[in-house]
Amino acid sequence: MLGIRNFVQSFSSSSASRTMTKLKTPPAPTLPTAIKSRDEAKLEEGTETAVFANGCFWGTEHFFKTYYGHLPQFSCVSGYTGGDVAKPSYRQVCSGTTGHAESVKLTYQKGSVGYGELVEFHLRTHDPTTVDRQGPDRGSQYRSAIFYTTPEQKEIAEKVIAEAQEKYVKGKIVTELAPLKDWYNAEDYHQDYLFENPNGESRSAFHSRSLSKPSCVIL
């Protein structure tokens, strides 16, 4: 099993205002399935959706927009999914009683990035071995999860998780893998939160997920 540093060294963090933030080159995938998905990616008509949860969505959104905002037809929206209450509010989700996870929904042109690469990136940017917690943020709404939209996404995610477990992670990966059902956009003030409020990470686990000083198990 390789050390954590092997999975970290190509990353650095940024929390500048979005108007001053330069897009960063994402780290090259290191896991076989992620590498294969990158190498086989070819642009197609239409868009694809990928949904991830890994703690406070402020930081999750910030990472994906900073490293993948260059993709054609790209968007990244913070929101709620995985629960059983219709149109939940942030206050309701924070109560931990709705079953929702703070998540981000990525949309991008088909074939502009390999889905396996996104799954590996997702695993890099948090600790997937902690149950219902990331840094100081605790509760089921902060769980690690991947919400797949196709059987192919499920299969790829399963393979990448297994490869990360074998190659990098000592503890058991507890990332939930579930089909995407209802999705609800978060309130407007949550969108682009850390770009508009670069000091906002004091209210979240963003610093503990900083790519320059990661607490992440495999980052």
Side-chain angles (χ1 to χ4, degrees):
M1 180 180 291
L2 298 178
I4 295 172
R5 292 181 181 177
N6 296 82
F7 215 30
V8 169
Q9 55 191 4
S10 61
F11 260 6
S12 62
S13 66
S14 170
S15 59
S17 169
R18 189 176 187 190
T19 58
M20 301 176 63
T21 298
K22 293 183 178 180
L23 296 177
K24 294 179 178 291
T25 301
T30 65
L31 299 171
T33 298
I35 294 171
K36 181 180 179 181
S37 75
R38 177 200 60 187
D39 293 345
E40 294 181 350
K42 294 181 180 180
L43 285 178
E44 301 179 33
E45 294 294 328
T47 59
E48 184 172 8
T49 297
V51 179
F52 301 102
N54 59 25
C56 176
F57 49 23
W58 296 347
T60 308
E61 178 197 64
H62 188 276
F63 281 136
F64 275 107
K65 283 189 172 181
T66 299
Y67 286 92
Y68 289 97
H70 64 282
L71 296 178
Q73 301 185 57
F74 178 85
S75 69
C76 178
V77 180
S78 293
Y80 315 115
T81 192
D84 53 12
V85 174
K87 300 180 180 179
S89 67
Y90 181 60
R91 183 179 296 275
Q92 286 177 303
V93 172
C94 283
S95 73
T97 61
T98 70
H100 293 88
E102 290 193 15
S103 310
V104 297
K105 181 171 69 173
L106 312 180
T107 302
Y108 49 89
Q109 185 173 350
K110 286 183 178 180
S112 59
V113 65
Y115 181 72
E117 177 179 339
L118 295 178
V119 173
E120 180 174 334
F121 183 87
H122 162 70
L123 294 175
R124 284 176 178 244
T125 54
H126 74 297
D127 182 347
T129 70
T130 55
V131 178
D132 296 345
R133 178 173 63 84
Q134 287 299 315
D137 293 331
R138 298 172 182 269
S140 60
Q141 67 271 28
Y142 298 118
R143 65 187 182 272
S144 173
I146 298 172
F147 298 96
Y148 57 86
T149 62
T150 65
E152 181 183 17
Q153 283 191 353
K154 178 184 179 183
E155 180 181 0
I156 290 172
E158 288 174 335
K159 289 180 178 179
V160 173
I161 290 171
E163 291 164 3
Q165 183 75 75
E166 179 179 1
K167 188 173 184 179
Y168 293 116
V169 186
K170 293 182 179 179
K172 178 178 173 57
I173 293 177
V174 297
T175 301
E176 174 188 0
L177 189 57
L180 178 65
K181 296 181 180 179
D182 294 331
W183 168 271
Y184 304 99
N185 287 353
E187 294 82 348
D188 288 346
Y189 67 89
H190 287 299
Q191 311 303 331
D192 291 327
Y193 190 88
L194 288 180
F195 293 105
E196 303 297 336
N197 303 276
N199 294 321
E201 62 267 41
S202 63
R203 292 182 54 200
S204 73
F206 183 66
H207 265 318
S208 70
R209 293 198 283 159
S210 168
L211 298 175
S212 60
K213 291 184 179 180
S215 64
C216 313
V217 168
I218 60 175
L219 194 153

